[in-house]
């Protein structure tokens, strides 16, 4: 699919906005298109945009197999920038998808095979009066800013979920019998959060490379001051988000260590219980073993009260270690 964005003016206020519409299969690309958004394009659609902008559109395979050194390059006067965006965050199937930004002659083209939430947010923003400055460079800067805003939302949501897990870990268990199952579920939850956080950090790193490249390019090309300021501001926001992601990663590691410590305590309590039971029953076992021997020279074998005496001795021998452990507060 090919979506084109053309400059227009709000009917009521006259302020500029971007009008988005889906291009028909046989419809030519309008000459005033500032942003061409390709979503899962076919090779025929790639050729249409290539002929219009004089660029080469990378295929899905090329975007997946691209080397790190080829994420940013210039070809035939066009600047190619490939970033990795997080999508499907609301589900358990969160993934990173590659998005290629192509900038030429102050006209922007984007190639993607997923629909990240950041793009939907930006389309709604650009359709509002004065929602975005017109021009390919300005649209790209605003689009990346929206990507960073979406990353901030994801990190905030992650922080809230991690805080909820922290309360579950350190709260007094209502059902001690189900504590082991709760800790196992907590470990799985921490693993899911850490995986999502790692993907978000990888996305931020790729976008930081794009912003650094744009900042250097805009300084050299004397881009509009507003665009350069927006890129610098977005870069500062991104770097603060990277620090926040590092903090959340450290918090997850702390909670992971705490959960494993609680698991060890639960296991130690079980082992301690078995150890105490073994010590408690050891003296009665010794007494039963002694009086279980069949030697003729054992005077107790002829006693009428020998059996009750042995039973009492075994009970007392079991109670004394238990009382001693309670007195030492080992139980």
């Amino acid at each position: 699919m090919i979506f084109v964005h053309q400059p227009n003016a709000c009917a009521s206020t006259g302020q500029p906005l971007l009008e988005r519409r889906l291009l028909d299969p046989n419809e030519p690309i309008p000459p005033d298109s500032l942003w061409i958004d390709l979503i899962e394009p076919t090779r025929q659609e790639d050729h249409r945009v290539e002929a219009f902008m004089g660029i080469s559109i990378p295929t899905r395979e090329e975007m997946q197999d691209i080397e790190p050194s080829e994420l940013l390059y210039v070809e035939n006067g066009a600047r190619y920038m490939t970033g990795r965006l997080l999508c499907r965050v609301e589900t358990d199937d969160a993934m990173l998808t590659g998005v290629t930004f192509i900038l030429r002659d102050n006209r922007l083209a984007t190639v993607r095979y997923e629909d990240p939430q950041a793009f939907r947010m930006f389309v709604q923003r650009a359709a509002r009066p004065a929602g975005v400055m017109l021009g390919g460079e300005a649209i790209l800067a605003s689009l990346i800013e929206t990507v960073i805003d979406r990353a901030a939302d994801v990190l905030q949501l992650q922080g809230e979920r991690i805080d909820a897990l922290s309360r579950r870990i350190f709260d007094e268990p209502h059902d001690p019998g189900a504590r082991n199952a709760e800790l196992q579920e907590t470990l799985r939850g921490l693993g899911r959060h850490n995986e999502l956080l790692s993907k978000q950090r990888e996305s931020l790193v790729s976008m930081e490379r794009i912003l650094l490249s744009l900042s250097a390019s805009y300084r050299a090309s004397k881009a509009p001051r507003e665009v350069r300021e927006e890129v610098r501001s977005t870069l500062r926001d991104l770097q603060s988000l990277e620090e926040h992601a590092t903090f959340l990663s450290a918090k997850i590691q702390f909670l992971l260590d705490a959960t494993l410590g609680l698991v060890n305590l639960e296991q130690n309590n079980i082992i301690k219980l078995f150890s105490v039971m073994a010590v408690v029953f050891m003296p009665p076992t010794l007494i039963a073993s002694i009086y279980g021997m069949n030697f003729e020279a054992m005077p107790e074998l002829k006693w009428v009260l020998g059996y009750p005496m042995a039973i009492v001795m075994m009970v007392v021998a079991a109670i004394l270690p238990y009382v001693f452990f309670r007195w030492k507060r080992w139980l």
Side-chain angles (χ1 to χ4, degrees), residues 21-133:
R21 65 185 182 88
L22 178 64
L23 208 63
D24 293 333
N26 298 321
E27 181 183 0
I29 299 176
D32 61 345
S33 299
L34 296 178
W35 174 25
I36 303 174
D37 188 20
L38 292 90
I39 305 177
E40 298 186 14
T42 63
R43 286 310 299 164
Q44 181 182 1
E45 292 171 338
D46 285 345
H47 293 326
R48 292 173 63 191
V49 178
E50 288 173 349
F52 176 75
M53 293 185 61
I55 58 175
S56 175
I57 301 296
T59 63
R60 182 197 291 262
E61 292 74 17
E62 291 172 345
M63 292 173 60
Q64 291 176 345
D65 298 336
I66 191 170
E67 297 293 334
S69 59
E70 299 176 350
L71 293 176
L72 307 171
Y73 63 94
V74 177
E75 182 180 271
N76 296 328
R79 180 176 296 274
Y80 291 78
M81 297 159 284
T82 300
R84 295 172 64 80
L85 273 62
L86 192 63
C87 60
R88 304 180 188 177
V89 178
E90 293 78 6
T91 66
D92 293 333
D93 192 25
M95 60 175 292
L96 286 172
T97 181
V99 178
T100 298
F101 306 89
I102 308 172
L103 191 63
R104 182 176 187 182
D105 298 333
N106 205 22
R107 181 180 284 121
L108 175 66
T110 54
V111 185
R112 54 196 176 100
Y113 291 87
E114 293 289 341
D115 191 19
Q117 178 67 22
F119 273 77
R120 296 195 294 270
M121 293 169 55
F122 179 74
V123 167
Q124 295 175 359
R125 170 185 169 185
R128 296 194 298 265
V132 64
M133 292 183 292

Side-chain angles (χ1 to χ4, degrees), residues 113-314:
Y113 291 87
E114 293 289 341
D115 191 19
Q117 178 67 22
F119 273 77
R120 296 195 294 270
M121 293 169 55
F122 179 74
V123 167
Q124 295 175 359
R125 170 185 169 185
R128 296 194 298 265
V132 64
M133 292 183 292
L134 300 183
E137 295 177 347
I139 293 173
L140 176 59
S142 299
L143 178 56
I144 295 178
E145 181 184 14
T146 306
V147 170
I148 302 306
D149 290 342
R150 173 58 179 168
D153 294 339
V154 172
L155 289 178
Q156 181 181 0
L157 179 62
Q158 284 296 102
E160 293 174 355
R161 292 176 175 174
I162 293 171
D163 289 340
L165 271 180
S166 177
R167 289 190 293 271
R168 285 177 51 190
I169 292 172
F170 296 109
D171 281 351
E172 190 70 22
H174 300 289
D175 184 7
R179 183 62 169 168
N180 191 33
E182 291 179 0
L183 291 176
Q184 291 182 12
E185 179 60 30
T186 299
L187 284 174
R188 286 190 287 267
L190 289 173
R192 289 192 297 267
H193 291 315
N194 187 64
E195 181 181 6
L196 181 59
L197 186 59
S198 298
K199 291 177 179 178
Q200 184 61 78
R201 294 179 68 183
E202 183 178 348
S203 174
L204 290 174
V205 169
S206 68
M207 299 310 298
E208 183 179 19
R209 293 188 61 186
I210 292 177
L211 284 173
L212 290 173
S213 174
L214 284 177
S215 180
S217 173
Y218 287 171
R219 282 198 305 268
S221 62
K222 303 298 182 181
R225 183 174 179 273
E226 294 81 1
V227 176
R228 285 183 281 132
E229 288 294 333
E230 186 173 7
V231 168
R232 282 196 292 265
S233 175
T234 304
L235 183 58
R236 288 192 295 268
D237 292 342
L238 184 147
Q239 291 170 347
S240 66
L241 289 180
E242 287 180 334
E243 295 176 0
H244 185 52
T246 301
F247 164 75
L248 291 179
S249 179
K251 189 171 184 178
I252 288 178
Q253 184 61 47
F254 165 72
L255 293 178
L256 178 61
D257 294 339
T259 304
L260 292 176
L262 291 174
V263 170
N264 290 332
L265 286 177
E266 292 290 328
Q267 293 176 346
N268 289 340
N269 288 333
I270 296 174
I271 298 300
K272 182 174 69 173
L273 177 61
F274 281 106
S275 300
V276 169
M277 295 302 295
V279 173
V280 166
F281 285 104
M282 191 178 299
T285 303
L286 176 62
I287 295 174
S289 300
I290 292 174
Y291 288 103
M293 294 184 293
N294 297 319
F295 294 109
E296 292 185 3
M298 295 181 66
E300 295 89 344
L301 295 177
K302 304 297 183 180
W303 290 0
V304 177
L305 299 177
Y307 177 73
M309 183 197 70
I311 294 296
V312 171
M313 289 176 62
M314 285 188 286

